[in-house]
Amino acid sequence: MLFCLLFATSPALATHIVGGEMNYRYTGIDQYEVTLTVYRDCLNGQAAFDNPASVGIYTAAGALVSNVSAYITDETQMPAVVNSPCLIAPTNLCYEVAHYIFNVTLPALPGGYTIVYQRCCRNQTIINLNNVSNSGGTYLATIPDPTLAAINSNPYFNALPPTFICTSEPFEFDHSATDPDGDSLIYELCTPLTGGSRQDPAPSPPNPPPYTSVSFAAPYSLNDMMGGIPFSVNRFTGKVTATPTMTGQFVYGLCVKEYRNGQLIGESRRDFQLNVVPCPTITLASIFSPTVVCGSLTATFLNSSFGAGTYDWDFGIANVTSDTSTSFQPAFTYPDTGTYPIRLIAYSSYNVLCNDTVYGEARIYPPFLAALSTTNIHCSPQFQFFDQSFGANGNADYWSWNFGDGTFSSQPNPSHSFAIPGDYPVTLIASTDSGCTDTASTTLHVLKIPSPAFQFSLDTCGRALNLLNYSQDASNYRWQLNAVDVSSDFSPLLPLNASGNFAITLFAISDSGCVASKSNTVFVPSLPDASFAWQVDPCDSVVRFRNYSSFASSYRWDFGDSTSASDVSVLHTYQLAGVIPVTLFATSDYGCIDTATENIFFVSYKEAGFDFIQDSCSSFVSFSGVTNNAVAYHWDFGDGNFSTEKQPEYTWKRDGTYNVVLTVNGEYACVDSVGKSVDFELPKGERVYIPNSFTPNGDGLNDVFIIFNFKPCDRYSLRVFNRWGKAVYYAEDISDAAWDGNYQGELVPEGIYSYLLQGERTSRQGTVAVIR
């Protein structure tokens, strides 16, 4: 047994499969000639036929016998044939058919064989299937069990299927088949099979049986695959009939079953996509009807026929033969008003069997006049419109208002508001039930309504309202606060003298006197009011402050002694006494601040105390460490003299010991005193001893230049210079000065050196000799 096994790569996914079928013919001694027929959409951009196509052969148990790579034997375009001589075939459809013919050797096998080809995908525009974007087709034939038919060729269809049928036109097609063995054939509609997927569009080998049927989308089904008069087939002749009413692409399946000796031995399946399209006729008679004439007896007839060579009009006057015309678009004058039947015959230029006739009416009416009127409140964009149409044949019962701004109405007396000022041509087309129509027009001037707009900012703490005007199409303005006129300025700044809600209203006034207003509300919060009281016990340093402020949320106390606090009511311990300015800062939620300041006065107990020092170079005794923060000071210097200063300087006229007494707060209840003895000596003056030479030779005698200051009255620095003016020694205080004759680690040469003593009030200079 020889099998021809060829392998091919899977072609790219495309939506081009429109149908297929599979046939085989027994040629003798287990040999079969297999014909695979595939139909595709040949519009631009569609994928080509598979070449080769992968055809699988399976046993009844689903075992793969062979995977045949079949190549195209022939490829042709299917003709677009219309089923009526008076219809025009569409030109936007194109199907191609390819045949794959190959031979295989298949020995007799219990259960027979299944020969199958699968391909995805169908066109996504198919409307009678679900999941069409991932749906392909399975095309197969079965070789029966040898006990049913040892030798068999399955039936093949005699004619290519039609590529299209015409909408609303009765359709007939001979789908009959021929069986080479003369078996009995029965035809029926059957559900097509799906096969392949987007992920594997051309399975190689194809999948084994069983196979899945496509799913019809509602409302379609096996019994109604295209709508209209359902698709049906004569089960004995294979003649298919239908009258579809919906355009689109539909998939159908047709099966022919073969019987031998009364037993079913196999079937042939045809799966095909059929296009239902509108098919124009070669000749069409068409007129505008009814033809209505108002106010005249002459009617002009509109001819919209096509495909005709000549015409025959009959204008419908009874018992008259001269009311005819052969013109394409004739005019005819009637003897009176009334309704007349019209007939037009359009004669075909191609086929006398395709002549067409149409009937209509001519309605001749008296005149009808359209008229309108309007009302409007000054400055309002709202207009009321009134139909004033009249005619001898009746009042209007149809209205078409065009307001000139892109809006329309079909009411008899509509109202309309114009969104934009300007001039508008308003048109009324009115007619009666007779069809008489007339047009009336007018031009409306819609005034500009001012567009008031403003913003405001509130100076909460300054109680000022700043109004910013952004109005348009206005020349004058009027501002109100709480319904009271307050300004006519463009953008005023208004002072406010109260808190609460204020209603702001802006009236914008145009040159035409049109007025529009806009309102808003501003809330003016109350300003904080700082207030406090204080209390202190006699001779105490703790002051109690009680806060009586209002409309405040935070506080700061300045106690007048460089300290502060933020509590509402506070206690404060002072080191000071006497008159102290205390300030309370009260701050509102809006950041506004008010202050209250009071000079508080109290006397607290202070322990008297002091120190003193005498300047040896002057006659003054200085007092320090004096009691702080007393309200009053009284000094008794023990010689009959007194002072009320806190830290006086005092000099006695003669040497002696004096008892100095300090009394603090002597004028108040919180009094304290302390006394100290002061030994006073009148100053004797300053004495400074400066050597005129020294011998830095290391013998321990006069090796260092030292200056001696007795009862110093000033603080001196020392600088020593060589003969060239270069400083060779420096000491900040002569009390620490001791020059050993060295400069930068070496002894200076013998000689005369000058020195400078620089004090705060005086200076001294001289020379010193360096001797070895």
Side-chain angles (χ1 to χ4, degrees), residues 248-294:
Q249 294 176 319
F250 302 86
V251 171
Y252 72 90
L254 187 73
C255 294
V256 52
K257 295 185 175 181
E258 55 178 330
Y259 291 84
R260 184 176 298 178
N261 300 322
Q263 282 190 305
L264 176 65
I265 62 173
E267 70 176 2
S268 294
R269 304 175 63 93
R270 171 173 276 177
D271 173 339
F272 199 69
Q273 172 190 304
L274 190 59
N275 298 282
V276 180
V277 298
C279 301
T281 58
I282 292 177
T283 302
L284 175 66
S286 177
I287 61 174
F288 182 81
S289 179
T291 298
V292 177
V293 180
C294 299

CSV table of all heavy atoms in Angstrom, one decimal, residues 248-294:
chain,number,residue,atom,x,y,z
A,248,GLY,N,-27.1,41.2,3.0
A,248,GLY,CA,-26.0,40.7,3.9
A,248,GLY,C,-25.4,39.4,3.4
A,248,GLY,O,-25.8,38.9,2.3
A,249,GLN,N,-24.5,38.9,4.2
A,249,GLN,CA,-23.8,37.7,3.8
A,249,GLN,C,-24.3,36.6,4.8
A,249,GLN,O,-24.3,36.8,6.0
A,249,GLN,CB,-22.3,37.9,3.9
A,249,GLN,CG,-21.7,38.8,2.9
A,249,GLN,CD,-20.3,39.1,3.0
A,249,GLN,OE1,-19.8,39.2,4.1
A,249,GLN,NE2,-19.5,39.1,1.9
A,250,PHE,N,-24.7,35.4,4.2
A,250,PHE,CA,-25.3,34.4,5.0
A,250,PHE,C,-24.5,33.1,4.6
A,250,PHE,O,-24.2,32.8,3.4
A,250,PHE,CB,-26.8,34.2,4.7
A,250,PHE,CG,-27.5,35.5,5.0
A,250,PHE,CD1,-27.7,36.5,4.0
A,250,PHE,CD2,-28.2,35.6,6.2
A,250,PHE,CE1,-28.4,37.6,4.3
A,250,PHE,CE2,-28.9,36.8,6.5
A,250,PHE,CZ,-29.0,37.8,5.5
A,251,VAL,N,-24.4,32.2,5.6
A,251,VAL,CA,-23.8,30.8,5.3
A,251,VAL,C,-24.9,29.8,5.4
A,251,VAL,O,-25.8,29.9,6.2
A,251,VAL,CB,-22.7,30.5,6.4
A,251,VAL,CG1,-22.3,29.1,6.3
A,251,VAL,CG2,-21.5,31.5,6.2
A,252,TYR,N,-24.9,28.9,4.4
A,252,TYR,CA,-25.9,27.8,4.4
A,252,TYR,C,-25.2,26.5,4.1
A,252,TYR,O,-24.1,26.5,3.6
A,252,TYR,CB,-27.0,28.1,3.4
A,252,TYR,CG,-26.6,27.9,1.9
A,252,TYR,CD1,-26.7,26.7,1.3
A,252,TYR,CD2,-26.1,29.0,1.2
A,252,TYR,CE1,-26.3,26.5,0.0
A,252,TYR,CE2,-25.7,28.8,-0.1
A,252,TYR,CZ,-25.8,27.6,-0.7
A,252,TYR,OH,-25.5,27.4,-2.1
A,253,GLY,N,-25.9,25.4,4.4
A,253,GLY,CA,-25.3,24.1,4.2
A,253,GLY,C,-26.4,23.2,3.4
A,253,GLY,O,-27.6,23.3,3.8
A,254,LEU,N,-25.9,22.5,2.5
A,254,LEU,CA,-26.8,21.6,1.7
A,254,LEU,C,-26.2,20.2,1.7
A,254,LEU,O,-25.0,20.1,1.3
A,254,LEU,CB,-27.0,22.1,0.3
A,254,LEU,CG,-28.1,21.3,-0.5
A,254,LEU,CD1,-29.5,21.6,0.0
A,254,LEU,CD2,-28.0,21.7,-2.0
A,255,CYS,N,-27.0,19.2,2.0
A,255,CYS,CA,-26.5,17.8,2.0
A,255,CYS,C,-27.3,17.0,1.1
A,255,CYS,O,-28.5,17.1,1.0
A,255,CYS,CB,-26.5,17.2,3.4
A,255,CYS,SG,-25.4,18.0,4.6
A,256,VAL,N,-26.6,16.1,0.3
A,256,VAL,CA,-27.3,15.1,-0.5
A,256,VAL,C,-26.9,13.7,0.0
A,256,VAL,O,-25.7,13.4,0.0
A,256,VAL,CB,-26.9,15.3,-2.0
A,256,VAL,CG1,-25.4,15.3,-2.2
A,256,VAL,CG2,-27.6,14.2,-2.8
A,257,LYS,N,-27.9,12.9,0.4
A,257,LYS,CA,-27.6,11.6,1.0
A,257,LYS,C,-27.8,10.6,0.0
A,257,LYS,O,-28.8,10.7,-0.8
A,257,LYS,CB,-28.5,11.4,2.2
A,257,LYS,CG,-28.2,12.4,3.4
A,257,LYS,CD,-29.1,12.0,4.6
A,257,LYS,CE,-28.7,12.9,5.8
A,257,LYS,NZ,-29.5,12.6,7.0
A,258,GLU,N,-26.9,9.6,0.0
A,258,GLU,CA,-27.1,8.5,-1.0
A,258,GLU,C,-27.5,7.2,-0.3
A,258,GLU,O,-27.0,6.8,0.7
A,258,GLU,CB,-25.7,8.3,-1.8
A,258,GLU,CG,-24.5,8.1,-0.9
A,258,GLU,CD,-23.3,7.8,-1.7
A,258,GLU,OE1,-23.4,7.3,-2.9
A,258,GLU,OE2,-22.2,8.2,-1.2
A,259,TYR,N,-28.4,6.5,-0.9
A,259,TYR,CA,-29.0,5.3,-0.4
A,259,TYR,C,-28.8,4.2,-1.4
A,259,TYR,O,-28.9,4.4,-2.6
A,259,TYR,CB,-30.5,5.4,-0.1
A,259,TYR,CG,-30.8,6.4,1.0
A,259,TYR,CD1,-30.9,7.7,0.9
A,259,TYR,CD2,-31.0,5.8,2.3
A,259,TYR,CE1,-31.2,8.6,1.9
A,259,TYR,CE2,-31.3,6.6,3.4
A,259,TYR,CZ,-31.4,8.0,3.2
A,259,TYR,OH,-31.7,8.8,4.2
A,260,ARG,N,-28.4,3.0,-0.9
A,260,ARG,CA,-28.3,1.8,-1.8
A,260,ARG,C,-29.0,0.7,-1.1
A,260,ARG,O,-28.7,0.4,0.0
A,260,ARG,CB,-26.8,1.5,-2.0
A,260,ARG,CG,-26.5,0.3,-2.9
A,260,ARG,CD,-25.0,0.1,-3.2
A,260,ARG,NE,-24.4,1.3,-3.8
A,260,ARG,CZ,-23.1,1.4,-4.0
A,260,ARG,NH1,-22.3,0.4,-3.7
A,260,ARG,NH2,-22.6,2.5,-4.6
A,261,ASN,N,-29.9,0.1,-1.9
A,261,ASN,CA,-30.8,-1.0,-1.4
A,261,ASN,C,-31.5,-0.5,-0.1
A,261,ASN,O,-31.7,-1.3,0.8
A,261,ASN,CB,-29.9,-2.2,-1.1
A,261,ASN,CG,-29.3,-2.7,-2.4
A,261,ASN,OD1,-29.8,-2.7,-3.5
A,261,ASN,ND2,-28.0,-3.2,-2.3
A,262,GLY,N,-31.9,0.7,-0.1
A,262,GLY,CA,-32.6,1.3,1.0
A,262,GLY,C,-31.8,1.6,2.2
A,262,GLY,O,-32.4,2.0,3.2
A,263,GLN,N,-30.5,1.5,2.1
A,263,GLN,CA,-29.6,1.8,3.3
A,263,GLN,C,-28.8,3.1,2.9
A,263,GLN,O,-28.3,3.2,1.8
A,263,GLN,CB,-28.7,0.6,3.6
A,263,GLN,CG,-29.3,-0.5,4.3
A,263,GLN,CD,-28.2,-1.5,4.8
A,263,GLN,OE1,-27.5,-2.0,4.0
A,263,GLN,NE2,-28.2,-1.7,6.1
A,264,LEU,N,-28.7,3.9,4.0
A,264,LEU,CA,-27.8,5.1,3.8
A,264,LEU,C,-26.4,4.7,3.9
A,264,LEU,O,-25.9,4.1,4.9
A,264,LEU,CB,-28.1,6.1,5.0
A,264,LEU,CG,-27.3,7.4,5.0
A,264,LEU,CD1,-27.5,8.3,3.8
A,264,LEU,CD2,-27.5,8.2,6.3
A,265,ILE,N,-25.7,5.1,2.8
A,265,ILE,CA,-24.2,4.7,2.8
A,265,ILE,C,-23.3,5.9,2.8
A,265,ILE,O,-22.1,5.8,3.0
A,265,ILE,CB,-23.9,3.9,1.5
A,265,ILE,CG1,-24.2,4.7,0.3
A,265,ILE,CG2,-24.8,2.6,1.5
A,265,ILE,CD1,-23.7,4.0,-1.0
A,266,GLY,N,-23.8,7.1,2.7
A,266,GLY,CA,-23.0,8.3,2.7
A,266,GLY,C,-23.7,9.5,2.3
A,266,GLY,O,-24.9,9.5,2.0
A,267,GLU,N,-23.0,10.7,2.3
A,267,GLU,CA,-23.6,11.9,1.9
A,267,GLU,C,-22.5,12.9,1.4
A,267,GLU,O,-21.3,12.7,1.7
A,267,GLU,CB,-24.3,12.6,3.0
A,267,GLU,CG,-23.5,13.2,4.2
A,267,GLU,CD,-24.2,13.9,5.2
A,267,GLU,OE1,-25.5,14.0,5.1
A,267,GLU,OE2,-23.6,14.4,6.1
A,268,SER,N,-22.9,13.8,0.6
A,268,SER,CA,-22.0,14.9,0.1
A,268,SER,C,-22.5,16.2,0.7
A,268,SER,O,-23.7,16.4,0.7
A,268,SER,CB,-21.9,15.0,-1.4
A,268,SER,OG,-21.3,13.8,-1.9
A,269,ARG,N,-21.6,17.0,1.2
A,269,ARG,CA,-22.0,18.3,1.9
A,269,ARG,C,-21.4,19.5,1.1
A,269,ARG,O,-20.3,19.5,0.6
A,269,ARG,CB,-21.4,18.4,3.3
A,269,ARG,CG,-21.8,17.2,4.2
A,269,ARG,CD,-21.1,17.4,5.5
A,269,ARG,NE,-21.5,18.6,6.3
A,269,ARG,CZ,-22.4,18.6,7.2
A,269,ARG,NH1,-23.1,17.5,7.5
A,269,ARG,NH2,-22.8,19.7,7.8
A,270,ARG,N,-22.3,20.5,0.9
A,270,ARG,CA,-21.8,21.7,0.3
A,270,ARG,C,-22.0,22.8,1.4
A,270,ARG,O,-23.1,23.0,1.9
A,270,ARG,CB,-22.6,22.0,-1.0
A,270,ARG,CG,-22.3,23.5,-1.5
A,270,ARG,CD,-22.9,23.7,-2.8
A,270,ARG,NE,-22.1,23.2,-3.9
A,270,ARG,CZ,-22.4,23.2,-5.2
A,270,ARG,NH1,-23.6,23.6,-5.6
A,270,ARG,NH2,-21.6,22.7,-6.1
A,271,ASP,N,-21.0,23.5,1.7
A,271,ASP,CA,-21.0,24.6,2.7
A,271,ASP,C,-20.6,25.9,1.9
A,271,ASP,O,-19.6,25.9,1.2
A,271,ASP,CB,-19.9,24.3,3.8
A,271,ASP,CG,-19.7,25.5,4.7
A,271,ASP,OD1,-20.1,26.6,4.4
A,271,ASP,OD2,-19.2,25.2,5.8
A,272,PHE,N,-21.5,26.9,1.9
A,272,PHE,CA,-21.3,28.1,1.0
A,272,PHE,C,-21.8,29.4,1.7
A,272,PHE,O,-22.8,29.4,2.4
A,272,PHE,CB,-22.0,27.8,-0.3
A,272,PHE,CG,-21.5,28.7,-1.4
A,272,PHE,CD1,-20.2,28.5,-1.9
A,272,PHE,CD2,-22.2,29.7,-1.9
A,272,PHE,CE1,-19.7,29.3,-3.0
A,272,PHE,CE2,-21.8,30.5,-3.0
A,272,PHE,CZ,-20.5,30.3,-3.5
A,273,GLN,N,-21.1,30.5,1.4
A,273,GLN,CA,-21.5,31.8,1.8
A,273,GLN,C,-22.2,32.5,0.6
A,273,GLN,O,-21.7,32.7,-0.5
A,273,GLN,CB,-20.3,32.7,2.2
A,273,GLN,CG,-20.6,34.1,2.4
A,273,GLN,CD,-19.4,35.0,2.6
A,273,GLN,OE1,-18.6,34.7,3.4
A,273,GLN,NE2,-19.3,36.0,1.8
A,274,LEU,N,-23.5,32.9,0.9
A,274,LEU,CA,-24.3,33.5,-0.2
A,274,LEU,C,-24.5,35.0,0.2
A,274,LEU,O,-24.8,35.3,1.3
A,274,LEU,CB,-25.7,32.8,-0.3
A,274,LEU,CG,-26.6,33.1,-1.4
A,274,LEU,CD1,-25.9,32.8,-2.8
A,274,LEU,CD2,-27.9,32.3,-1.3
A,275,ASN,N,-24.4,35.8,-0.9
A,275,ASN,CA,-24.5,37.3,-0.7
A,275,ASN,C,-25.9,37.7,-1.1
A,275,ASN,O,-26.3,37.4,-2.3
A,275,ASN,CB,-23.5,38.0,-1.5
A,275,ASN,CG,-22.1,37.7,-1.0
A,275,ASN,OD1,-21.6,38.2,0.0
A,275,ASN,ND2,-21.4,36.9,-1.8
A,276,VAL,N,-26.7,38.3,-0.3
A,276,VAL,CA,-28.0,38.8,-0.6
A,276,VAL,C,-27.8,40.3,-0.9
A,276,VAL,O,-27.5,41.1,0.0
A,276,VAL,CB,-29.1,38.6,0.5
A,276,VAL,CG1,-30.4,39.1,0.1
A,276,VAL,CG2,-29.2,37.1,0.7
A,277,VAL,N,-28.1,40.8,-2.1
A,277,VAL,CA,-27.7,42.1,-2.5
A,277,VAL,C,-28.9,42.7,-3.2
A,277,VAL,O,-29.8,42.0,-3.8
A,277,VAL,CB,-26.5,42.2,-3.4
A,277,VAL,CG1,-25.3,41.6,-2.7
A,277,VAL,CG2,-26.7,41.3,-4.7
A,278,PRO,N,-29.0,44.1,-3.2
A,278,PRO,CA,-30.1,44.7,-4.1
A,278,PRO,C,-29.7,44.7,-5.5
A,278,PRO,O,-28.5,44.9,-5.9
A,278,PRO,CB,-30.1,46.2,-3.5
A,278,PRO,CG,-28.7,46.4,-2.9
A,278,PRO,CD,-28.3,45.0,-2.4
A,279,CYS,N,-30.6,44.3,-6.4
A,279,CYS,CA,-30.3,44.2,-7.8
A,279,CYS,C,-31.2,45.2,-8.6
A,279,CYS,O,-32.4,45.0,-8.6
A,279,CYS,CB,-30.6,42.7,-8.3
A,279,CYS,SG,-29.6,41.5,-7.5
A,280,PRO,N,-30.6,46.2,-9.1
A,280,PRO,CA,-31.4,47.2,-9.9
A,280,PRO,C,-32.0,46.5,-11.1
A,280,PRO,O,-31.4,45.6,-11.7
A,280,PRO,CB,-30.4,48.3,-10.2
A,280,PRO,CG,-29.1,47.6,-10.1
A,280,PRO,CD,-29.2,46.6,-9.1
A,281,THR,N,-33.2,47.0,-11.5
A,281,THR,CA,-33.8,46.5,-12.7
A,281,THR,C,-33.2,47.2,-13.9
A,281,THR,O,-32.8,48.3,-13.8
A,281,THR,CB,-35.3,46.7,-12.7
A,281,THR,OG1,-35.6,48.1,-12.5
A,281,THR,CG2,-36.0,45.9,-11.5
A,282,ILE,N,-33.3,46.5,-15.1
A,282,ILE,CA,-32.9,47.2,-16.3
A,282,ILE,C,-33.7,48.3,-16.7
A,282,ILE,O,-33.2,49.4,-17.1
A,282,ILE,CB,-32.8,46.1,-17.4
A,282,ILE,CG1,-31.8,45.0,-17.2
A,282,ILE,CG2,-32.6,46.8,-18.8
A,282,ILE,CD1,-31.7,43.9,-18.2
A,283,THR,N,-35.0,48.2,-16.5
A,283,THR,CA,-36.0,49.3,-16.8
A,283,THR,C,-36.9,49.5,-15.6
A,283,THR,O,-37.5,48.5,-15.1
A,283,THR,CB,-36.8,49.0,-18.1
A,283,THR,OG1,-35.9,48.8,-19.2
A,283,THR,CG2,-37.7,50.2,-18.4
A,284,LEU,N,-37.0,50.8,-15.1
A,284,LEU,CA,-37.8,51.1,-14.0
A,284,LEU,C,-38.6,52.3,-14.3
A,284,LEU,O,-38.1,53.4,-14.6
A,284,LEU,CB,-37.0,51.4,-12.8
A,284,LEU,CG,-37.7,51.8,-11.5
A,284,LEU,CD1,-38.6,50.7,-11.0
A,284,LEU,CD2,-36.8,52.2,-10.4
A,285,ALA,N,-40.0,52.2,-14.2
A,285,ALA,CA,-40.9,53.3,-14.4
A,285,ALA,C,-41.1,53.9,-13.0
A,285,ALA,O,-41.4,53.2,-12.0
A,285,ALA,CB,-42.2,52.9,-15.0
A,286,SER,N,-40.9,55.2,-12.9
A,286,SER,CA,-41.0,55.9,-11.6
A,286,SER,C,-41.4,57.4,-11.8
A,286,SER,O,-40.8,58.1,-12.7
A,286,SER,CB,-39.6,55.9,-10.9
A,286,SER,OG,-39.7,56.6,-9.6
A,287,ILE,N,-42.4,57.8,-11.1
A,287,ILE,CA,-42.8,59.2,-11.1
A,287,ILE,C,-43.0,59.7,-9.7
A,287,ILE,O,-43.1,58.9,-8.7
A,287,ILE,CB,-44.1,59.4,-11.9
A,287,ILE,CG1,-45.3,58.6,-11.2
A,287,ILE,CG2,-44.0,59.0,-13.3
A,287,ILE,CD1,-46.6,58.8,-11.8
A,288,PHE,N,-43.0,61.0,-9.5
A,288,PHE,CA,-43.3,61.6,-8.2
A,288,PHE,C,-44.8,61.7,-8.1
A,288,PHE,O,-45.5,62.3,-8.9
A,288,PHE,CB,-42.7,63.0,-8.2
A,288,PHE,CG,-42.9,63.7,-6.8
A,288,PHE,CD1,-42.1,63.4,-5.7
A,288,PHE,CD2,-43.9,64.6,-6.7
A,288,PHE,CE1,-42.3,64.0,-4.5
A,288,PHE,CE2,-44.1,65.2,-5.5
A,288,PHE,CZ,-43.3,64.9,-4.4
A,289,SER,N,-45.3,61.1,-7.0
A,289,SER,CA,-46.8,61.0,-6.9
A,289,SER,C,-47.1,61.2,-5.4
A,289,SER,O,-46.5,60.6,-4.5
A,289,SER,CB,-47.3,59.7,-7.4
A,289,SER,OG,-48.7,59.7,-7.3
A,290,PRO,N,-48.2,61.9,-5.1
A,290,PRO,CA,-49.0,62.7,-6.0
A,290,PRO,C,-48.3,63.9,-6.5
A,290,PRO,O,-47.5,64.5,-5.8
A,290,PRO,CB,-50.2,63.0,-5.2
A,290,PRO,CG,-49.7,63.1,-3.8
A,290,PRO,CD,-48.6,62.1,-3.7
A,291,THR,N,-48.7,64.3,-7.7
A,291,THR,CA,-48.3,65.6,-8.3
A,291,THR,C,-49.3,66.6,-7.9
A,291,THR,O,-50.5,66.5,-8.2
A,291,THR,CB,-48.1,65.6,-9.8
A,291,THR,OG1,-47.1,64.6,-10.1
A,291,THR,CG2,-47.8,66.9,-10.4
A,292,VAL,N,-48.9,67.6,-7.0
A,292,VAL,CA,-49.9,68.6,-6.4
A,292,VAL,C,-49.6,69.9,-7.1
A,292,VAL,O,-48.5,70.4,-7.1
A,292,VAL,CB,-49.7,68.6,-4.9
A,292,VAL,CG1,-50.7,69.7,-4.3
A,292,VAL,CG2,-50.0,67.3,-4.3
A,293,VAL,N,-50.7,70.6,-7.5
A,293,VAL,CA,-50.7,71.9,-8.1
A,293,VAL,C,-51.7,72.8,-7.4
A,293,VAL,O,-52.8,72.4,-7.2
A,293,VAL,CB,-51.0,71.9,-9.6
A,293,VAL,CG1,-50.9,73.3,-10.2
A,293,VAL,CG2,-50.0,71.0,-10.3
A,294,CYS,N,-51.2,73.9,-6.9
A,294,CYS,CA,-52.1,74.8,-6.1
A,294,CYS,C,-52.1,76.2,-6.8
A,294,CYS,O,-51.1,76.8,-7.1
A,294,CYS,CB,-51.6,75.0,-4.7
A,294,CYS,SG,-51.5,73.4,-3.8
